Amino acid sequence: GGDYRSSDDGEPSGTAGRPNLTAIDGQRIDGAVVVVTRWYGGINLGAGGLMRAYGGSATACLRAAEKVERVALAVARVRFAFADTGPVHAVIASLGAERLDEHFDGDGVELLLRLPADRLPALKAQLRDATRDRIRLLDTDAA
């Protein structure tokens, strides 16, 4: 995202923090922290050697690290008649929505769903089309 920070923490200016940040950007990673500790080098390596050492260490670690994709989720509560159960379940499955809760009463079914936030508009449109606009979206929220 737009929030980032780097620090040379006592090393010559631009030789530690910036190469680490460049390594993160180069791997197209977000939401990460990289700490590299130098045990040897300093004056012997020179500024260019320090930059290569810090940046190279960070890059090697980031390449080897397990990546986990973070997806913004939304929660939606929908209500529909029993007759629309089949089409509703088909839409839910096609969009990969997860059923968190399900209640039945004399008037029909109420579902609490969780799905990637970018699929929420498609959920609304497809449910509306599948039920001929008989479904009711009670509320939505970010999860």
Side-chain angles (χ1 to χ4, degrees), residues 113-133:
L113 306 170
R114 180 171 50 209
L115 71 160
D118 62 348
R119 295 183 191 164
L120 191 57
L123 176 75
K124 292 176 185 180
Q126 289 182 29
L127 286 175
R128 184 186 62 239
D129 293 347
T131 64
R132 295 187 178 150
D133 204 22

